[in-house]
């Protein structure tokens, strides 16, 4: 079978979880799938519609950013260095009330898609409001994305009366289910302290009816623990368990304050966790005990969170911080090795995202979500092990990105997004925010 794209003579990292580098590898893509990934000497058919010279490049699966709020790129750097409650109540919620509309959501999500593609993210999971515009932006950008419509018991963009939040979410699922193979609709319940018990249960019922994932911020701050645990006598995660919310399709974001018992519940229910350590650091929410989570058998992925609380969507930065902060948190330099973090940001993240075919490994039959990094640079030399991807590489090293067999970035140039038009639109909107 003739390949559509053949990446030749590349330093190949097919499975980031096991660290084996193939010095002279090649990857062949036909349609949306990989048909070969391995040593070049074992691939005989050198004909292809397009050949990408992989010399000086490292080729690996694309990164998976499992938690974000893409439209919030408009609020990047708007209100830094504040406490979470002050940041949300006095800055972010008022800015959202005044400035979030469908046009804003489309262009700011396009900006987020550009930033993610440029820094090697091929799959993301988003949760916000007016998500139909996020879905359009990501579909136009060619990004693989779980797009989750927000549910909260407060007036929100596109849902002025919270009584309509479940109905609006259902229409979103109706509109996007099965529409585009790269866009997987889902639900995003904001948190156990902003959604009533009945809202959480209705959201989960809806998710089950449509067979989609439910994402939720949970156990993010000590304040949340006191708000729920004091009156109810159970932790936020035990609260979700008691409400019947937890199963393998409920993705729990943050879990900073999850204790050992909580982690056993999450592992028992198969509920994945997404950690966003940079956001937790910046808002001083605390730090999740990742080694304990992994020891308890919890599936864990990584996310950047919205870039108002990070302020970057670069998963290379997130990986670096994730590995180092766990060492400090546990006062143990071997607490979480780089390869575990790399697997969380690729293979494990792809599995949690739930797309068919599992894109987190480069192997025959897998979806062709591939990134190429320029490793001929001083900060990446010498290149002994893939640990360098966690501790020294950055999103700026990414040169080429292929998603589902389609090149969306080539030699550092975005192919699916008009970046000048996007920057222009977002900067114009930002003038009104200041
Ligand atoms: Zn978030």
């Amino acid at each position: 079978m003739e390949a559509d794209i053949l990446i030749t003579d590349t330093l190949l990292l097919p499975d980031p979880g096991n660290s084996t580098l193939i010095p002279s590898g090649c990857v062949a893509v036909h349609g949306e799938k990989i048909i070969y990934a391995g040593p070049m000497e074992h691939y005989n058919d050198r004909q292809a519609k397009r050949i990408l010279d992989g010399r000086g490049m490292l080729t690996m699966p694309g990164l998976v950013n499992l938690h974000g709020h893409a439209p919030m790129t408009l609020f990047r750097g708007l209100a830094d260095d504040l406490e979470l409650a002050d940041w949300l109540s006095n800055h972010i919620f008022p800015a959202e009330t005044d400035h979030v509309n469908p046009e804003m959501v489309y262009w700011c999500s396009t900006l987020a898609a550009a930033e993610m593609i440029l820094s090697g993210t091929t799959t993301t999971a988003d949760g916000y409001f007016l998500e139909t515009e996020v879905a359009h932006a990501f579909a136009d950008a060619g990004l693989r994305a779980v797009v989750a419509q927000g549910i909260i018991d407060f007036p929100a963009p596109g849902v002025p009366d919270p009584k309509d939040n479940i109905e609006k979410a259902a229409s979103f699922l109706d509109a996007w289910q099965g529409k585009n193979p790269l866009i997987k609709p889902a639900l995003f319940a904001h948190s156990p302290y902003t959604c009533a018990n009945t809202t959480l249960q209705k959201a989960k019922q809806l998710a089950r009816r449509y067979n989609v994932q439910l994402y939720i911020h949970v156990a993010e701050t000590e304040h949340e623990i006191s708000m729920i645990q004091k009156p109810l006598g159970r932790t936020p995660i035990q609260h979700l368990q008691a409400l019947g919310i937890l199963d393998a399709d409920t993705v729990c974001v943050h879990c900073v304050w999850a204790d050992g018992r909580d982690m056993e519940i999450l592992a028992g229910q198969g509920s994945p966790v997404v950690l966003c350590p940079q956001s937790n650091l910046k808002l001083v929410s605390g730090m999740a005990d990742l080694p304990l989570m992994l020891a308890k058998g919890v599936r864990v992925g990584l996310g950047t969170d919205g870039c108002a609380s990070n302020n970057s969507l670069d998963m290379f930065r997130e990986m670096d911080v994730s590995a180092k902060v766990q060492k400090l948190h546990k006062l143990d330099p071997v607490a979480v090795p780089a390869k575990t973090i790399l697997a969380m940001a690729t293979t494990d993240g792809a599995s949690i995202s739930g797309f068919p075919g599992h894109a987190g490994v480069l192997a025959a039959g897998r979806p062709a979500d591939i990134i190429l990094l320029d490793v001929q640079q001083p900060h990446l030399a010498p290149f002994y092990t893939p640990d360098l991807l966690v501790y020294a590489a950055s999103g700026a090293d990414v040169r080429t990105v292929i998603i589902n067999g389609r090149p969306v970035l080539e030699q550092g140039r975005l192919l699916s997004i008009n970046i000048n038009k996007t920057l222009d639109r977002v900067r114009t909107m930002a003038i009104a925010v200041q």
Side-chain angles (χ1 to χ4, degrees):
M1 186 193 302
E2 188 187 31
D4 293 321
I5 300 170
L6 183 63
I7 302 162
T8 59
D9 208 5
T10 187
L11 178 62
L12 182 63
L13 177 64
D15 181 359
N18 84 13
S19 298
T20 305
L21 284 166
I22 298 170
S24 179
C26 78
V27 180
V29 174
H30 182 78
E32 297 165 356
K33 297 243 166 85
I34 293 167
I35 51 174
Y36 178 81
M40 210 157 143
E41 63 198 45
H42 297 157
Y43 187 72
N44 296 323
D45 190 353
R46 299 295 165 89
Q47 297 300 311
K49 292 195 181 100
R50 290 208 49 204
I51 292 180
L52 299 181
D53 185 354
R55 281 176 296 178
M57 298 282 167
L58 177 135
T59 300
M60 63 179 282
L63 303 178
V64 181
N65 180 354
L66 275 179
H67 183 62
H69 313 289
M72 294 184 84
T73 49
L74 185 63
F75 308 131
R76 189 198 318 262
L78 178 67
D80 292 327
D81 307 327
L82 297 167
E83 287 180 21
L84 178 68
D86 181 18
W87 177 74
L88 273 178
S89 307
N90 299 325
H91 299 272
I92 295 302
F93 288 156
E96 287 179 325
T97 305
D98 292 343
H99 300 289
V100 178
N101 56 59
E103 190 195 6
M104 171 273 186
V105 169
Y106 179 85
W107 287 105
C108 294
S109 300
T110 302
L111 183 69
E115 184 181 355
M116 286 193 271
I117 289 170
L118 280 161
S119 54
T121 289
T122 53
T123 297
T124 192
D126 196 73
Y128 203 66
F129 302 94
L130 297 169
E131 280 287 305
T132 204
E133 297 303 321
V134 178
H136 279 300
F138 288 174
D140 292 348
L143 189 63
R144 189 185 296 279
V146 179
V147 182
Q149 169 67 19
I151 292 170
I152 191 168
D153 284 333
F154 293 106
V159 197
D161 185 347
K163 282 204 284 298
D164 300 333
N165 54 20
I166 299 292
E167 197 184 308
K168 292 266 182 185
S171 352
F172 170 75
L173 297 179
D174 278 330
W176 284 93
Q177 198 155 44
K179 188 173 179 185
N180 179 323
L182 292 187
I183 301 295
K184 203 157 73 75
L187 301 179
F188 164 54
H190 180 265
S191 73
Y193 65 93
T194 49
C195 294
N197 296 352
T198 48
T199 305
L200 292 172
Q201 285 175 318
K202 281 183 192 166
K204 188 62 194 176
Q205 276 166 14
L206 182 64
R208 287 195 173 117
R209 180 146 38 98
Y210 282 80
N211 193 24
V212 298
Q213 289 178 315
L214 173 71
Y215 287 71
I216 183 165
H217 293 138
V218 60
E220 181 177 0
T221 63
E222 197 171 19
H223 182 59
E224 178 186 338
I225 297 287
S226 68
M227 274 197 302
I228 289 178
Q229 203 157 351
K230 265 194 196 142
L232 296 178
R234 42 184 194 247
T235 66
I237 286 163
Q238 288 163 9
H239 176 54
L240 296 188
Q241 165 79 339
L243 291 174
I245 304 293
L246 296 178
D247 62 23
D249 287 323
T250 295
V251 182
C252 296
V253 179
H254 295 306
C255 297
V256 165
W257 290 88
D259 60 20
R261 174 77 193 111
D262 290 336
M263 294 176 198
E264 283 163 12
I265 291 170
L266 293 167
Q269 295 295 337
S271 300
V273 166
V274 179
L275 302 185
C276 308
Q278 289 193 100
S279 175
N280 302 147
L281 281 168
K282 187 161 178 252
L283 295 165
V284 197
S285 304
M287 196 45 57
D289 190 335
L290 175 57
L292 188 59
M293 270 183 199
L294 296 174
K296 297 277 187 190
V298 181
R299 302 162 68 203
V300 188
L302 282 184
T304 56
D305 211 343
C307 75
S309 66
N310 184 318
N311 303 358
S312 161
L313 304 181
D314 180 347
M315 283 291 289
F316 284 95
R317 286 171 64 119
E318 200 68 42
M319 286 196 290
D320 185 23
V321 169
S322 297
K324 288 173 182 165
V325 78
Q326 287 295 333
K327 296 177 201 305
L328 182 66
H329 182 55
K330 305 297 289 183
L331 293 178
D332 178 4
V334 299
V336 182
K339 76 171 180 183
T340 301
I341 297 290
L342 200 52
M344 283 165 57
T346 52
T347 322
D348 301 345
S351 164
I352 292 169
S353 75
F355 276 94
H358 191 179
V361 172
L362 302 185
R366 300 297 183 100
D369 288 9
I370 304 165
I371 62 174
L372 281 75
L373 285 82
D374 178 0
V375 287
Q376 295 291 92
Q377 303 182 74
H379 66 279
L380 296 177
F383 202 101
Y384 295 122
T385 74
D387 293 358
L388 219 54
L389 295 168
V390 172
Y391 294 131
S394 90
D397 301 325
V398 175
R399 307 303 299 155
T400 295
V401 174
I402 297 166
I403 303 176
N404 213 36
R406 174 192 177 195
V408 289
L409 182 82
E410 225 173 286
Q411 300 301 322
R413 198 168 64 84
L414 284 163
L415 303 178
S416 54
I417 294 171
N418 182 335
I419 190 60
N420 289 332
K421 184 177 177 185
T422 305
L423 286 168
D424 199 44
R425 298 299 283 266
V426 174
R427 283 174 181 148
T428 304
M429 291 174 203
I431 292 168
V433 174
Q434 281 176 323

